């Protein structure tokens, strides 16, 4: 773990020019495998909850295999039982064990992407089919460590294997929305939308992983101990105020705000919000000159926190089953004229409240799960807390350049001129991620701020539990 200097490091990223799956030849194995897993997430579009779990599982298998070669670290699932003698703690053995652990976990999670994982193993000089029954073989260490992780996670409540209900990751709790895509029965509850997909076919949304609050978190006895106040009731003054704020943002969107909304959207075929923060962690690794030991721990802690953040956020979403802005605007102002963003190239116009749509691609409109709370806010603040704590500083110093006309919502129009988004601190980045969902008309302020608060606590607590394992101590919360 390395403390930062006070120097701000700036990296300029062109969202058009960079290949997001590429990694530098000098990257250590953790960065190479993390990049491969992020590409699998882009290729398979599993949704943010499933993505956060996948990042946790792959990072945990790698960490537990690595811990066998450390003098004091405890593995999360095998403790010190795989501890190797000093003569076996060679860089070659560590690299091989970490790679085989990543490989086994990645193939278990994304079998469709196996050819790409096989190719990476070959590039690294390993045969994916190699096996060994010798206890001190790095292949045996990796498989034993990863077997323990996968055995635990296959029964963690995520329904990865479809043994709790048909279909991988399918709901087994019997969730049914109160509203239909065509009728608002309750203006305070979530409404699935009927959205036209890229092929022009109208598809009715289904709540993504409504059972996720039942997934076992990392080292936390009960995710329910992190509590927030209930969101505003439909007949309250606060309800109208939050709707009016979203409409006001929509009516007055600047190019900067539109760019922020799109940059952080992380929708289908992206690395999704948990993966976005893994990209930030890759930058931190390269900036600070991390070695494999540094990164196997940093990504373990980061992705533990992202797992916990997703479980808490979806538990809270399911608990309140709260209305999204698009439904609330239609419910409150369906028969009135409002001023708001009128669609691609239209600017701010007068319209019927029933026609309001958020600043999103027409194939997305609003993600398929409830409002309260914001997943973006929870994931981002949890990740920021881990990166602050692990590096010993809040200094981030990262920026992204969005070329003129690069918008997917208003292509060729937004932004009019190149826009640079910059984040001096991790906190700045997390705060902007949360605010972006208000600009995009996806969340209310009440879904953002409490999630940032709880996300920070989850991140700090998870880092503490992770660091206890690094130091060879069992945690007290499990």
């Amino acid at each position: 773990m390395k403390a930062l200097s006070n120097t701000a490091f700036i990296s300029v990223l062109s969202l058009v020019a960079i290949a997001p799956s590429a990694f530098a030849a000098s990257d250590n194995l953790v960065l190479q495998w993390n990049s491969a897993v992020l590409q699998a997430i882009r290729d398979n579009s599993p949704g943010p909850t499933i993505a956060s779990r996948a990042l946790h599982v792959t990072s945990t298998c790698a960490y537990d295999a690595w811990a066998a070669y450390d003098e004091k670290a405890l593995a999360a699932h095998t403790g010190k039982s795989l501890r190797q003698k000093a003569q076996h703690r060679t860089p070659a053995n560590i690299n091989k064990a970490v790679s085989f652990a990543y490989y086994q976990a990645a193939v278990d999670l994304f079998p469709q992407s196996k050819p790409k994982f096989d190719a990476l193993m070959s590039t690294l000089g390993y045969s994916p089919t190699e096996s060994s029954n010798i206890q001190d073989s790095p292949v045996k260490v990796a498989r034993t460590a990863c077997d323990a992780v996968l055995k635990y996670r296959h029964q963690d409540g995520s329904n990865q294997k479809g043994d709790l209900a048909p279909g991988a990751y399918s709901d087994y709790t019997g969730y049914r929305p109160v509203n239909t895509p065509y009728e608002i029965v309750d203006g305070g509850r979530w409404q699935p939308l009927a959205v036209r997909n890229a092929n022009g076919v109208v598809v009715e949304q289904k709540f993504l992983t409504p059972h996720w609050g039942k997934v076992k978190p990392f080292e936390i006895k009960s995710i329910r101990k992190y509590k927030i106040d209930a969101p505003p009731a439909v007949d309250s003054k606060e309800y109208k105020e939050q709707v009016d704020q979203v409409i006001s943002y929509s009516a007055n969107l600047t190019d900067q705000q539109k760019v922020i909304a799109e940059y952080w959207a992380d929708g289908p075929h992206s690395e999704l919000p948990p993966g976005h923060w893994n990209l930030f962690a890759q930058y931190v690794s390269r900036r600070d000159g991390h070695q494999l030991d540094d990164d196997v721990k940093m990504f373990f802690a980061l992705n533990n926190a992202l797992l916990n953040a997703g479980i808490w956020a979806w538990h809270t979403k399911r608990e309140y089953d709260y209305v999204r802005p698009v439904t609330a605007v239609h419910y409150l102002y369906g028969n009135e004229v409002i001023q708001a963003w009128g669609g691609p190239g239209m600017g701010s116009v007068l319209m019927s409240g029933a026609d309001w749509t958020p600043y999103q691609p027409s194939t997305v409109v609003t993600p398929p799960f409830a409002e309260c709370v914001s997943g973006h806010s929870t994931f981002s603040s949890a990740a920021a807390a881990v990166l602050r704590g692990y590096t010993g500083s809040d200094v981030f110093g990262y920026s992204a350049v969005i070329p003129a006309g690069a918008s997917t919502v208003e292509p060729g129009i937004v932004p009019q001129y190149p826009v640079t988004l910059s984040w001096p601190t991790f906190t700045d980045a997390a705060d902007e991620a949360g605010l972006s969902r208000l600009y995009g008309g996806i969340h209310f302020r009440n879904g953002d701020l409490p999630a940032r608060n709880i996300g920070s606590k989850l991140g700090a607590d998870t880092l503490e539990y992770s660091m206890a394992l690094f130091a060879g101590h069992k945690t007290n919360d499990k």
Side-chain angles (χ1 to χ4, degrees):
M1 190 179 313
K2 298 182 179 181
L4 296 178
S5 70
N6 289 327
T7 304
F9 301 84
I10 302 295
S11 171
V12 178
L13 168 65
S14 167
L15 297 185
V16 172
I18 195 168
S21 60
F23 49 79
S26 59
D27 282 350
N28 63 54
L29 288 174
V30 174
L31 296 189
Q32 294 187 50
W33 276 106
N34 182 255
S35 293
V37 174
L38 293 182
Q39 189 57 48
I41 290 171
R42 298 183 193 103
D43 292 343
N44 293 280
S45 296
T49 49
I50 299 168
S52 67
R53 179 180 176 275
L55 289 162
H56 161 78
V57 172
T58 51
S59 296
T60 300
C61 281
Y63 168 79
D64 280 11
W66 169 87
Y69 297 91
D70 191 67
E71 289 183 339
K72 57 185 178 180
L74 293 178
H77 292 271
T78 51
K80 59 181 180 180
S81 65
L82 297 178
R83 184 88 68 212
Q84 298 295 292
K85 295 179 181 178
Q87 63 264 34
H88 298 303
R89 299 173 194 164
T90 65
N93 283 347
I94 294 170
N95 287 346
K96 192 169 188 177
V98 167
S99 284
F100 270 84
Y102 262 122
Y103 175 80
Q104 182 177 348
V107 171
D108 180 84
L109 294 158
F110 300 108
Q112 305 94 323
S113 296
K114 183 177 182 295
K116 292 185 178 181
F117 301 138
D118 287 347
L120 178 54
M121 287 288 277
S122 296
T123 298
L124 296 172
Y126 305 125
S127 170
T129 59
E130 180 180 347
S131 62
S132 176
N133 289 320
I134 301 172
Q135 292 302 117
D136 57 12
S137 159
V139 176
K140 178 67 171 178
V141 169
R143 295 203 188 285
T144 303
C146 200
D147 281 346
V149 177
L150 294 178
K151 180 180 179 181
Y152 180 81
R153 282 293 157 194
H154 287 167
Q155 303 296 323
D156 68 352
S158 66
N159 198 26
Q160 178 188 343
K161 295 297 183 180
D163 50 356
L164 299 175
Y169 305 107
S170 62
D171 178 39
Y172 53 87
T173 63
Y175 173 81
R176 294 289 184 275
V178 170
N179 299 309
T180 75
Y182 311 102
E183 182 182 11
I184 304 173
V185 176
D186 185 338
R189 302 285 291 278
W190 179 68
Q191 179 191 30
L193 303 179
V195 179
R196 196 174 298 276
N197 66 19
N199 297 319
V201 178
V202 175
V203 178
E204 295 182 4
Q205 291 181 337
K206 293 184 178 180
F207 199 124
L208 178 73
T209 60
H211 61 288
W212 210 255
K214 294 184 176 295
V215 174
K216 294 177 182 176
F218 168 77
E219 294 292 335
I220 294 174
K221 286 180 180 177
S222 175
I223 210 76
R224 292 161 178 77
K225 71 180 183 179
Y226 299 90
K227 297 182 181 298
I228 63 168
D229 294 334
V234 70
D235 57 353
S236 67
K237 180 180 71 171
E238 290 79 9
Y239 181 94
K240 182 178 182 302
E241 288 175 346
Q242 69 181 2
V243 175
D244 288 346
Q245 183 183 49
V246 166
I247 294 173
S248 177
Y249 277 129
S250 176
N252 297 285
L253 284 171
T254 65
D255 266 17
Q256 178 92 1
Q257 291 171 332
K258 290 177 179 180
V259 164
I260 289 171
E262 292 196 54
Y263 173 81
W264 290 102
D266 295 327
H269 307 297
S270 74
E271 58 280 340
L272 303 173
H276 196 140
W277 281 87
N278 274 250
L279 288 176
F280 284 170
Q282 289 185 16
Y283 163 75
V284 170
S285 169
R286 297 179 185 116
R287 180 196 69 186
D288 295 353
H290 280 189
Q291 302 301 308
L292 184 146
D293 289 5
D294 302 310
D295 279 346
V296 79
K297 292 184 286 187
M298 180 175 73
F299 282 90
F300 174 71
L302 173 66
N303 289 317
N304 291 339
L306 289 167
L307 172 77
N308 288 345
I311 295 169
W312 178 81
W314 260 251
H315 157 71
T316 308
K317 287 176 182 293
R318 176 67 186 274
E319 180 179 11
Y320 293 116
D321 195 36
Y322 198 58
V323 62
R324 286 276 195 167
V326 64
T327 301
V329 172
H330 294 172
Y331 175 76
L332 204 59
Y333 291 109
N335 296 319
E336 298 183 31
V337 175
I338 62 172
Q339 177 118 16
W341 177 68
M346 298 298 292
S348 183
V349 301
L350 294 175
M351 64 170 69
S352 166
D355 295 329
W356 184 82
T357 188
Y359 186 79
Q360 298 291 316
S362 61
T363 55
V364 175
V365 184
T366 292
F369 35 84
E371 147 67 276
C372 188
V373 290
S374 166
H376 274 66
S377 302
T378 315
F379 285 128
S380 297
S381 56
V386 170
L387 294 176
R388 280 195 304 268
Y390 190 83
T391 62
S393 169
D394 198 20
V395 173
F396 185 23
Y398 189 75
S399 64
V401 175
I402 288 71
S407 168
T408 58
V409 178
E410 299 185 280
I413 301 172
V414 173
Q416 184 176 1
Y417 305 104
V419 170
T420 298
L421 304 179
S422 58
W423 311 283
T425 67
F426 297 118
T427 301
D428 291 331
D431 289 348
E432 186 176 280
L435 188 59
S436 74
R437 306 307 270 170
L438 277 71
Y439 295 156
I442 295 296
H443 282 293
F444 296 121
R445 176 72 68 177
N446 192 72
D448 170 29
L449 295 180
R452 289 195 222 173
N453 180 44
I454 297 297
S456 292
K457 292 178 180 177
L458 278 167
D461 288 349
T462 305
L463 178 61
E464 181 181 347
Y465 305 147
S466 300
M467 290 178 66
L469 293 176
F470 303 161
H473 305 308
K474 293 293 290 183
T475 65
N476 297 319
D477 204 352
K478 194 167 184 177

